[in-house]
Amino acid sequence: MTTTPEIPSPYIVRSQRNRNRPDPTATGYELNETSVPEHHATSQIQPQGTGYGVSVGYNVSATLEVVPEDERLGYFSTSSMILNRMVGTGVFVIPAPALAISGSKGMSIILWLIAAITTWAGMAVYLEYGIRFPLTGGELHYIDYVWLHPKLLLTYTYSVMFVILSGSHPNALVFGQAVITASTPLGTAIDRRLQKFFAILIVGVVCALQTVSRANYVRFCNVFWIYKILVLSFISVTGWRALGMQRAHPSATAGGNWTESFQGTSTSLFSMAMALLAIFRAFAGYENANLIMEEVRRPREDANRVYRRAAKATVFLVSFLYIMVNIAFFAACTKEELVNAPDTLVLFFSKVFGASQRARRASGALLAISSVGNIMSATFAAARVKQEIGRLGILPYPEFWASSTRFGTPGPALLLHWIFSTIFILAAPLSNANGYLVISTVFTYARTGIAVVLGSALLFATRLESFKFQGVRWYPQGSRLGLWAIYFLAALYVLMNLFVFAMIWLPSNLQKALNSKSPILPSFLGPTVGISCYAAGALYWVWDRKILKAVGYRLEPLKERQEGNIVRITFNVRPTLIPLTVMYLTVGQRRVTRVAATVILWMISLVKGTKRAFGRSD
């Protein structure tokens, strides 16, 4: 008979985060929801003072106020976090290119169904990880537990990839276009420079607002949940009425033809992979709660009930509405109209309600508001992951990036999020027919590799020491279906992501598939950018963990103690370059020599040593 392990607490898991720390189950270590013993760890540090002075190395004292239990996310707010991240602009802009690439309405619907099933499988995988490792940061911690050798290699590669690629640029660019659409007459061309200006502006505004208030964002998020459900339901019902040839305006035209739904279906594996990748991007966000696990409420009777139920209900609801919206689009419009239309939502409203300036404004306004909700949710979660990356000491100057503002928000991490979002907005090749498709799916492609690693590890979770808790082997806790069900879902998740990861490299004629005469970017550009970010992370790992260590740098442990909702931490970073240290200690009484040695050591600490907040010893 299988023994069900006790549910891990975030406090206990975080105290065990460093495998070199003392055994937290040993005598004298009291671990509970309000007290964490002194141990070597890292934290969301809020610098209180840094002394470089004339000593070798420096100290930083910091405090952190954790989110109180009564301010954590309940069922509705957790669901809102997930839904707002999933439902942005993807469901409105992806159907047209997915239809063009797949070749037919019937195949496009099948691919959306496959993506929905894969999303459900991914949610099941992430539920197990979220329950076993309930830490803010999600994947950042999961891969560290399952990838042990070389030590921290995948943690570094993931961190670099996430910092660079996880911006809000896809939805921000759609917001810019939607604002122009809503404010200009029919037939007006989109000014790409103005579109990028609005995109940069909205990301900056969202980051600024989230810097000064967490509670207000949660309230906005809940309102956007209601708005998006109403919009998707309205489009679904309107489309079904169009399927019955009912129109709200006499000038509205007939709908799409379903009699030859599979005519023109592409048989190219690349086309299937590219269409799936685009659709995966529309479903992205089912794991959003995993990124903020320590801010989700944990009832005493069932610690993971809120997280588990909110995730399942939201993913099912979004998947159902996505299929309905696609059917609505295909019912109201022909294949040729969808493929050639510059804006799917404007086309849909024009077909159902008649072409008018009012329909154009309405579609632009609906799309802009929806994109803002997604930008807010994505920014909220991504900033906390980037704060965790700084918290692990992977980023240079971690005491800055991991710090919190006086409002208790990750202000520096939000700044980092805005910087890379802005870079990608400015670099977006929107003049190319597939420019937006490439820029919006590169992060989704990069995450398929992580999905393969996590899904594969879950297949062997019963044998992995890192999944054991208090000596009891891992057993599925996300559902009551048992091991074989989670094995099936994990295998499906791995295979689908592996298919997209590999097949996307096959050569293809996208210009013909997209029915465009505009310049086309090479199909391998997006995957190349994603792989390059991983390669950059690997090189950074070599520098950070091998080269610096070889020249004499070592890590000093952190001390962390929690008193109620306040975490107090101190750490020391001490370079051990022997020649400089010896010179400082032996002839340091001479003023000139002492000043020179101090300046050299200070510069080394500033450029390299400052980034050492990592709580593990080598």
Side-chain angles (χ1 to χ4, degrees):
M1 181 177 178
T2 302
T3 303
T4 302
E6 183 180 341
I7 300 296
S9 161
Y11 297 90
I12 296 176
V13 175
R14 189 169 287 283
S15 69
Q16 294 173 333
R17 183 67 175 79
N18 188 334
R19 299 186 185 90
N20 295 323
R21 296 175 195 165
D23 180 5
T25 61
T27 303
Y29 283 89
E30 180 184 357
L31 297 176
N32 51 55
E33 296 295 318
T34 59
S35 177
V36 176
E38 182 175 298
H39 60 277
H40 304 319
T42 53
S43 184
Q44 299 178 17
I45 56 179
Q46 184 175 353
Q48 301 297 310
T50 301
Y52 294 98
V54 295
S55 63
V56 181
Y58 59 92
N59 297 314
V60 171
S61 299
T63 59
L64 160 72
E65 184 176 354
V66 299
V67 179
E69 179 66 31
D70 59 349
E71 294 182 15
R72 294 180 187 173
L73 307 175
Y75 289 106
F76 186 52
S77 295
T78 304
S79 175
S80 298
M81 291 290 172
I82 300 172
L83 185 136
N84 277 290
R85 178 64 180 88
M86 293 182 71
V87 182
T89 60
V91 68
F92 305 118
V93 301
I94 295 300
L99 172 62
I101 296 171
S102 62
S104 67
K105 292 182 177 180
M107 179 54 67
S108 183
I109 291 292
I110 290 176
L111 291 177
W112 279 87
L113 286 171
I114 291 174
I117 295 172
T118 304
T119 299
W120 186 266
M123 179 212 60
V125 169
Y126 275 80
L127 273 178
E128 300 302 333
Y129 277 100
I131 292 173
R132 176 58 188 90
F133 308 110
L135 299 176
T136 292
E139 298 160 340
L140 176 67
H141 298 294
Y142 307 157
I143 57 179
D144 192 37
Y145 277 102
V146 304
W147 186 281
L148 304 181
H149 304 288
K151 185 179 180 181
L152 298 178
L153 173 60
L154 198 58
T155 306
Y156 271 72
T157 56
Y158 173 83
S159 298
V160 171
M161 181 277 295
F162 193 91
V163 168
I164 295 175
L165 299 181
S166 65
S168 299
H169 46 278
N171 284 279
L173 287 168
V174 175
F175 170 83
Q177 179 173 325
V179 169
I180 297 173
T181 299
S183 58
T184 56
L186 286 169
T188 303
I190 301 296
D191 186 331
R192 299 304 179 187
R193 294 172 298 179
L194 188 59
Q195 177 185 359
K196 291 182 178 182
F197 169 77
F198 284 128
I200 295 172
L201 182 63
I202 189 60
V203 177
V205 169
V206 168
C207 289
L209 291 177
Q210 291 193 16
T211 299
V212 299
S213 176
R214 172 186 177 274
N216 285 335
Y217 162 71
V218 174
R219 298 186 184 101
F220 277 122
C221 192
N222 294 339
V223 173
F224 277 114
W225 187 98
I226 299 172
Y227 167 80
K228 291 184 179 183
I229 292 297
L230 291 176
V231 169
L232 294 179
S233 300
F234 172 75
I235 293 175
S236 300
V237 172
T238 305
W240 279 98
R241 287 175 59 86
L243 190 62
M245 306 304 290
Q246 299 183 39
R247 298 293 188 273
H249 193 276
S251 65
T253 56
N257 183 10
W258 286 88
T259 57
E260 297 177 342
S261 299
F262 289 90
Q263 184 177 2
T265 299
S266 173
T267 58
S268 167
L269 291 178
F270 169 85
S271 297
M272 297 299 103
M274 190 68 217
L276 274 175
L277 179 62
I279 298 171
F280 281 173
R281 183 234 149 183
F283 279 94
Y286 57 89
E287 77 291 349
N288 211 42
N290 291 65
L291 307 183
I292 53 172
M293 277 298 293
E294 291 175 72
E295 297 190 27
V296 176
R297 190 168 299 163
R298 297 174 62 84
R300 293 186 179 276
E301 59 275 13
D302 184 353
N304 293 289
R305 183 180 64 198
V306 172
Y307 162 59
R308 188 177 60 247
R309 292 181 179 178
K312 290 181 178 180
T314 306
V315 171
F316 177 81
L317 178 61
V318 171
S319 299
F320 172 77
L321 289 174
Y322 272 12
I323 302 300
M324 293 298 102
V325 168
N326 273 269
I327 293 176
F329 287 159
F330 295 163
C333 313
T334 65
K335 173 186 171 181
E336 291 72 20
E337 289 171 334
L338 286 168
V339 170
N340 295 316
D343 191 313
T344 302
L345 204 55
V346 172
L347 171 66
F348 174 77
F349 283 129
S350 298
K351 296 286 289 185
V352 175
F353 299 105
S356 66
Q357 182 63 25
R358 183 177 299 177
R360 178 181 170 90
R361 288 178 179 173
S363 62
L366 291 177
L367 196 57
I369 296 173
S370 181
S371 63
V372 170
N374 182 277
I375 293 169
M376 294 179 70
S377 183
T379 300
F380 184 87
R384 279 149 180 80
V385 177
K386 291 168 185 176
Q387 187 179 42
E388 285 285 314
I389 294 172
R391 183 175 179 170
L392 295 182
I394 294 174
L395 292 175
Y397 306 103
E399 69 273 19
F400 175 70
W401 301 116
S403 65
S404 299
T405 66
R406 63 188 181 90
F407 303 104
T409 59
L414 287 164
L415 172 64
L416 187 65
H417 184 82
W418 179 81
I419 289 172
F420 280 97
S421 296
T422 299
I423 291 173
F424 272 90
I425 289 171
L426 293 175
L430 299 179
S431 60
N432 298 82
N434 64 332
Y436 178 79
L437 187 64
V438 169
I439 205 75
S440 64
T441 57
V442 61
F443 178 60
T444 307
Y445 175 79
R447 287 193 67 254
T448 59
I450 298 298
V452 171
V453 172
L454 295 180
S456 300
L458 197 64
L459 293 173
F460 299 93
T462 55
R463 301 181 182 181
L464 295 178
E465 291 294 324
S466 57
F467 276 84
K468 287 184 178 180
F469 183 68
Q470 296 184 346
V472 180
R473 74 168 188 165
W474 172 84
Y475 191 80
Q477 308 239 355
S479 70
R480 301 178 182 178
L481 299 179
L483 277 173
W484 290 108
I486 194 63
Y487 282 166
F488 171 77
L489 292 173
L492 175 64
Y493 187 59
V494 169
L495 290 175
M496 292 307 303
N497 280 278
L498 192 60
F499 172 79
V500 172
F501 187 84
M503 293 299 105
I504 207 72
W505 291 94
L506 294 178
S508 179
N509 188 352
L510 265 181
Q511 193 156 27
K512 180 180 179 181
L514 294 174
N515 192 29
S516 174
K517 296 181 181 180
S518 301
I520 294 288
L521 294 173
S523 59
F524 58 80
L525 181 60
T528 300
V529 173
I531 296 298
S532 297
C533 290
Y534 280 125
L539 292 175
Y540 184 46
W541 174 83
V542 171
W543 163 261
D544 208 44
R545 306 295 299 184
K546 303 299 180 182
I547 297 178
L548 290 184
K549 182 179 178 181
V551 299
Y553 277 82
R554 63 185 173 88
L555 305 179
E556 292 290 339
L558 284 158
K559 291 183 179 180
E560 174 179 319
R561 181 179 294 276
Q562 180 169 337
E563 301 171 359
N565 290 326
I566 303 298
V567 177
R568 305 185 185 279
I569 61 175
T570 58
F571 67 90
N572 176 263
V573 181
R574 191 176 298 274
T576 59
L577 290 176
I578 296 175
L580 291 175
T581 304
V582 171
M583 179 179 69
Y584 180 87
L585 295 176
T586 56
V587 294
Q589 299 303 318
R590 298 181 181 179
R591 183 178 182 85
V592 175
T593 306
R594 180 170 180 169
V595 171
T598 299
V599 170
I600 294 173
L601 287 171
W602 181 84
M603 291 177 64
I604 292 173
S605 297
L606 183 65
V607 175
K608 302 172 183 176
T610 304
K611 68 178 300 304
R612 301 294 78 197
F614 196 57
R616 304 184 194 200
S617 59
D618 290 322

